[in-house]
Amino acid sequence: MSVLIPNRYQGKLIVVEGIDGSGKSTQLSLLSQWLRSQGYAVAFSEWNSSPLVKQTTRRGKRKEMFTPTTFSLIHATDFADRLEGYIQPLLQAGAIVCADRYAYTAFARDVVRGVSSSWVRNLYRFAIKPNVAFYFRVPLDVALGRILGGRDALKYYEAGMDLDLSRNIEESFRIFQGRILKEYETMAEEMGFHVIDATRSIERQQREMRRILMQEIGDSLREGVLEAPRGTYYAKTYSARVL
Amino acid sequence: MRKRTPLEFYSTPLPGIDCSELQGKLIVIEGPDSIGRSTQVTRLREWLEQHGHAVLDTGMARSALAGKGIQEAKKGNTLGPITMTLYYTTDFADRLENEIVPALRAGFVVLTDRYIFSIMARAIARGEDRAWIERVIGFALVPHKVFYLRAGVKDLVSRVVLGRGHFDYWESGLDLRFGKDMYSSFVKYQARLIRVFDGLSKTYDLEMIDAARPAEEIFHDLQSSISRLFTAQRQLRKIGSGNGSRPALTPVKRRTYNKASSS
């Protein structure tokens, strides 16, 4: 039951999804810099970043006040604010909007937390369907290796500690991410994800993304999305490296 | 007549809650701004407590989690209709799970100043999809009773003028500019809300109370209806005044409403 609203605006919406440590943010940032270097007006939106909602989420997390339902709802509120105030008007204006995580993150996480899958899919029904959604497929151990090595402390909700999976935070994180991974795999087809093999080299993944992007929305990019004003090739230096 | 209806959810059950444990009563007062809901809640609370019931009262945007955030968001000029709906839903969910359900479990009478119907009505009046919000908020418990204090727009206008003395931005629907100025926006938006509420009343079996009357009369109506609720459940003798033939909750004046209590 995927019922997102088709994007009828001139702008294009590109989304990356995957578990923590799949490398999706790195790839999205490379992709957006490349698009900028081509002269397109590119905007960026990150999960959980609405200025109206951030304080509430922070308070809830600090005091560990969330239940699966309120956790799900506050993230949907955050998403709604970014959609209504940012993503939607920018798409209308013809920009390319790159979103690091989208409704699918909620579909995976909230369901693992015990929220009904059809309820959370309905919750996000107001969301605009991405033109291209990339899913970074990575084995659990690879992702965990990237995360657990580099970061000093895992956070309570990020590790799914609210689910009482284990007293050990790393173990809890491992189980939680494993379950989220399963949810992603289950919905990959239903949601029409373009699957990227995230065990490959960064350069190769990036080439693959660009190829898919051109194949999916290349024509409409040529026909006219919003372009940056002349003389603003600010991202040129970044783009050369990867290509 | 004396069915003891266990509480249930509208559509999607909240994870981890067993309805058969919920022994209390859930009573809702709905209605527009400045209609006098909080006055009634205060009086009902007093009355119920006098009759030996423990009462919890709660209301919109009072949650520990989201209450503050909503107040802050309403001060700005960027809060969109979907965001607002979901923010209030978050607030409601937090109070439902952390206040209302525990109180019901402990056998309290929960009196709530507004419930899901205000959230739904505001969303629908703003053009959002009714099926969407009904599904989203379907984790709510079906109350034992919902009172809808209803009055026409004219009455609301005079209440605002004589009460607060100015029209509120959100209560005038100025976020969507229903009219060309504040007053006409208020009138159009409130008229729309009333239509939506009337529709919801039918679907959700709200008890309509004519609120264009003195507070005293409204209070009597509420009392007698709530009395019947308790009578029907035959809890009267346990907590009543010791007289087995009298309902636990006797409206101060209009005792004629309690005919059903002779059992």
Side-chain angles (χ1 to χ4, degrees), chain A residues 165-181:
Chain A
L165 301 167
S166 164
R167 287 222 174 152
N168 178 296
I169 193 161
E170 273 198 29
E171 184 55 23
S172 173
F173 182 73
R174 184 180 297 271
I175 300 170
F176 185 52
Q177 292 293 323
R179 292 189 184 172
I180 291 174
L181 181 60

Side-chain angles (χ1 to χ4, degrees), chain A residues 88-224:
Chain A
Q88 191 260 340
L90 286 171
L91 289 174
Q92 229 167 336
I96 300 177
V97 179
C98 296
D100 189 347
R101 297 189 173 281
Y102 205 66
Y104 312 108
T105 287
F107 298 168
R109 279 189 192 168
D110 297 354
V111 168
V112 169
R113 283 210 154 79
V115 164
S116 143
S117 135
S118 63
W119 181 79
V120 71
R121 278 161 171 71
N122 172 74
L123 179 60
Y124 282 87
R125 223 169 61 181
F126 60 88
I128 295 169
K129 195 169 162 34
N131 295 91
V132 187
F134 294 103
Y135 165 55
F136 290 78
R137 176 175 283 156
V138 65
L140 188 58
D141 285 334
V142 175
L144 291 175
R146 289 173 185 170
I147 293 253
L148 296 178
R151 247 193 282 188
D152 30 355
L154 288 168
K155 293 186 187 117
Y156 184 83
Y157 285 101
E158 191 181 59
M161 288 297 279
D162 55 320
L163 296 176
D164 285 330
L165 301 167
S166 164
R167 287 222 174 152
N168 178 296
I169 193 161
E170 273 198 29
E171 184 55 23
S172 173
F173 182 73
R174 184 180 297 271
I175 300 170
F176 185 52
Q177 292 293 323
R179 292 189 184 172
I180 291 174
L181 181 60
K182 251 188 215 151
E183 285 299 325
Y184 271 127
E185 289 296 332
T186 316
M187 77 175 113
E189 204 172 322
E190 173 196 353
M191 302 301 177
F193 289 158
H194 291 273
V195 181
I196 302 288
D197 181 349
T199 59
R200 292 191 168 158
S201 75
I202 290 179
E203 292 81 357
R204 190 150 172 206
Q205 291 179 53
Q206 186 61 206
R207 274 200 300 277
E208 180 72 356
M209 277 180 93
R210 293 178 187 184
R211 187 188 63 73
I212 293 171
L213 192 73
M214 282 306 122
Q215 166 199 313
E216 291 298 315
I217 61 169
D219 290 345
S220 44
L221 285 185
R222 277 184 284 276
E223 274 161 23

Side-chain angles (χ1 to χ4, degrees), chain A residues 52 56 67 84 119 122 125, chain B residues 82-83 87 97 129 135-136:
Chain A
L52 280 189
T56 300
T67 61
E84 289 188 297
W119 181 79
N122 172 74
R125 223 169 61 181
Chain B
I82 299 175
T83 312
Y87 224 151
E97 291 183 310
D129 181 6
R135 200 66 223 286
V136 166

